[in-house]
Amino acid sequence: MPLSKRKRLRDFLYDQGVDGALRGLINEIGEASKYISYAIDTTSLGYSGSVNVYGEKQLALDVLSDEIVSEKLGMCGIVKNMASEEQENINSAFLSEPGEYSVCFDPLDGSSLVDVNLAVGTIVSIYPGKQLVRPGREQVAALYVLYGPRTTMVVGLPSGVHEFSLDAVGSYTLSRPDIKMKDVGNIYSPGGSRNQYLPAHKDFIDSLLADNYKLRYSGGFVPDFNQVLMKGGGLFTYPALKNAPNGKLRLMFECNAMAFIVEVAGGAASNGKQRILDIEPESIEMRSPIYIGSKKEVARAEKMLAEQVSSD
Ligand code: AHG
Ligand code: MN
Ligand code: MN
């Protein structure tokens, strides 16, 4: 199909009945992603010398990606408040009138994979109004950008999940409408070190192996989750570990966006006990274990973890 005939992101959102401000916000994030994609190609791969609120050393790319997203969203006049995985506090946007939405974002997830040339991503949760520390079920939209062999943006709206690809003239055009998850799959993406697994999680992973699930793990949440979503089934997990009882991934900056997307696509996302989207955040930087993908695998994890608790 000629480039000019493909449905562009802004037009598709309009057809979906998305309001003007939200259309503008999603497009602003798309614009920011183009600068991040350029930064990935051109920025030094070294450390910036600073650490984030998690005490993780920041790469120059983490800091630059964070600046790109923060500036774009700060100046667009649509965002009221924004919180970044790479910054300590919630910031009010510079031009925050009318400020109809607030966002949480991870500007560059998996950034340490750039120097081994593996795929990385940007993750964004969008909430109505100015409140940010709230359950993920209150999101009005969520999206991620995947910087891989192709640069794609997967947008979750209450009405559906859709993938857009960045084309040769710098436009995001519709490449996969209405993405759906099957109830069961055959791939699994197991984060964390096996020697740190808790007994019930180890039994769960072994049960997937016994059922011939194929291992698919790159170390990047965005490409690893994207593979489960695009293959239409399977499971990604980053569990509670002996040395990390709340797991590694951040509820507000990573888990909530993917949980929103997977549920709209017909899948499920749990912390092993409850729905990710129902978790009342204690703080904006809290971490959460995550089991995300097809309903059957998530339910199996919850069942096996519950049996462990009851037999303890
Ligand atoms: P970030 O780069 O934003 O800190 O996130 C990295 C995360 C996530 O992308 C991935 O699933 C996880 O780290 C991998 O952790 P391990 O290196 O412990 O496997
Ligand atoms: Mn991350
Ligand atoms: Mn990050």
Side-chain angles (χ1 to χ4, degrees):
M1 180 190 286
L3 278 188
S4 58
K5 293 287 178 229
R6 291 183 199 166
K7 180 70 83 173
R8 290 186 326 148
L9 172 62
R10 185 184 285 275
D11 303 332
F12 182 85
L13 294 176
Y14 179 83
D15 294 348
Q16 292 288 311
V18 176
D19 74 66
L22 187 51
R23 289 202 307 271
L25 174 52
I26 293 171
N27 272 279
E28 282 298 332
I29 297 163
E31 286 306 300
S33 73
K34 297 173 192 174
Y35 289 88
I36 292 176
S37 178
Y38 178 74
I40 290 167
D41 287 348
T42 57
T43 305
S44 90
L45 300 178
Y47 285 101
S48 66
S50 53
V51 294
N52 65 15
V53 67
Y54 300 97
E56 297 159 340
K57 285 198 287 183
Q58 291 174 309
L59 295 172
L61 254 180
D62 283 320
V63 174
L64 179 54
S65 302
D66 184 54
E67 284 169 1
I68 290 168
V69 178
S70 299
E71 269 164 35
K72 274 270 174 213
L73 297 188
M75 299 298 282
C76 70
I78 304 168
V79 168
K80 194 84 178 168
N81 292 313
M82 49 191 175
S84 164
E85 182 189 280
E86 299 303 337
Q87 293 188 41
E88 183 113 17
N89 307 307
I90 293 175
N91 298 308
S92 292
F94 323 129
L95 294 178
S96 60
E97 295 310 328
E100 294 175 53
Y101 296 100
S102 288
V103 294
C104 288
F105 61 90
D106 178 356
L108 198 63
D109 179 79
S111 52
S112 58
L113 297 170
V114 171
D115 76 355
V116 291
N117 202 23
L118 283 178
V120 291
T122 297
I123 306 171
V124 185
S125 280
I126 301 174
Y127 294 91
K130 57 186 179 185
Q131 181 57 32
L132 272 179
V133 184
R134 60 206 284 190
R137 64 174 177 265
E138 296 177 11
Q139 293 170 87
V140 290
L143 65 87
Y144 61 85
V145 179
L146 176 53
Y147 310 96
R150 292 182 298 122
T151 296
T152 55
M153 180 194 282
V154 174
V155 180
L157 302 166
S159 56
V161 177
H162 316 283
E163 179 199 65
F164 300 85
S165 296
L166 194 57
D167 68 18
V169 293
S171 291
Y172 276 105
T173 54
L174 184 65
S175 41
R176 274 191 178 97
D178 262 338
I179 296 162
K180 290 290 177 209
M181 293 284 288
K182 298 187 292 280
D183 276 351
V184 70
N186 62 13
I187 59 173
Y188 74 113
S189 199
S193 310
R194 189 172 170 87
N195 64 1
Q196 293 298 326
Y197 284 179
L198 296 168
H201 179 74
K202 185 175 173 302
D203 293 347
F204 168 66
I205 295 293
D206 291 347
S207 75
L208 297 178
L209 279 170
D211 288 350
N212 297 319
Y213 278 68
K214 286 180 284 182
L215 172 64
R216 294 288 183 269
Y217 192 74
S218 76
F221 183 32
V222 177
D224 289 342
F225 170 70
N226 185 70
Q227 182 167 197
V228 169
L229 184 67
M230 298 305 163
K231 295 286 185 202
L235 177 106
F236 172 95
T237 175
Y238 204 106
L241 298 169
K242 291 175 195 164
N243 62 353
N246 294 314
K248 173 178 185 181
L249 299 188
R250 280 68 41 146
L251 176 69
M252 302 304 293
F253 301 118
E254 295 159 325
C255 299
N256 271 339
M258 300 318 204
F260 180 89
I261 288 169
V262 83
E263 285 202 5
V264 172
S270 166
N271 65 358
K273 296 193 194 82
Q274 73 173 109
R275 187 179 175 231
I276 289 281
L277 293 181
D278 285 339
I279 297 175
E280 290 284 349
E282 297 130 26
S283 67
I284 198 140
E285 65 265 5
M286 77 178 273
R287 297 176 192 268
S288 170
I290 186 167
Y291 295 81
I292 184 168
S294 297
K295 284 182 174 161
K296 285 255 171 47
E297 287 87 334
V298 172
R300 180 191 300 193
E302 289 183 328
K303 184 168 177 294
M304 293 182 77
L305 292 168
E307 283 161 2
Q308 172 79 57
V309 168
S310 58
S311 65
D312 280 352

